[in-house]
Amino acid sequence: MAAINVERSIGTTKKAVLAGLIGYNNERMGKQKYRRLAISLKERGKIVGGIVGEVWTSVLFMQLFWIEQKFRGKDHGTKLIAAIEDEARKIGATRSYLDTMSFQAPGFYRSCGYKEFGAIDGYPGGVTRHWFTKSL
């Protein structure tokens, strides 16, 4: 009989779920490209900002983006976005998407050409989560 288990360590379950999902998707869509990307901003060898993302099929998803405070507002973010978009295009991406919180950078992403396609209210402190997309 199947049983539901709550786990504190997700490694084994994540691996099994991912393998099952990839297998199912490949049955429906054929084998798809999947590639992780990381773009960093460094000063004196230290990472002071960067973007981590992945391209699946033909879509770039920017998962994580951070820049140390003293490097913000100096065009570094725009250059990081352009760099990951360029790398994604090289491997066949035609679209990009990301999410951000209302206190983070929705205006910045709009200035980079991203269009909002969804939002969810209800986070603590009146915060909203926003989703953005852009054709590459």
Side-chain angles (χ1 to χ4, degrees), residues 21-58:
L21 185 58
I22 288 170
Y24 179 79
N25 289 345
N26 287 345
E27 288 174 17
R28 301 296 185 266
M29 300 170 61
K31 186 158 176 64
Q32 299 295 307
K33 288 183 284 185
Y34 177 79
R35 181 138 173 228
R36 292 183 176 138
L37 300 171
I39 307 291
S40 63
L41 175 65
K42 293 183 178 181
E43 182 180 66
R44 298 184 189 127
K46 178 187 173 205
I47 295 174
V48 296
I51 303 175
V52 175
E54 64 186 23
V55 173
W56 180 61
T57 68
S58 59

Side-chain angles (χ1 to χ4, degrees), residues 94-112:
T94 58
R95 177 155 296 283
S96 176
Y97 81 102
L98 58 94
D99 66 273
T100 189
M101 304 305 248
S102 54
F103 65 89
Q104 292 174 328
F108 167 73
Y109 294 116
R110 287 183 188 99
S111 74
C112 291

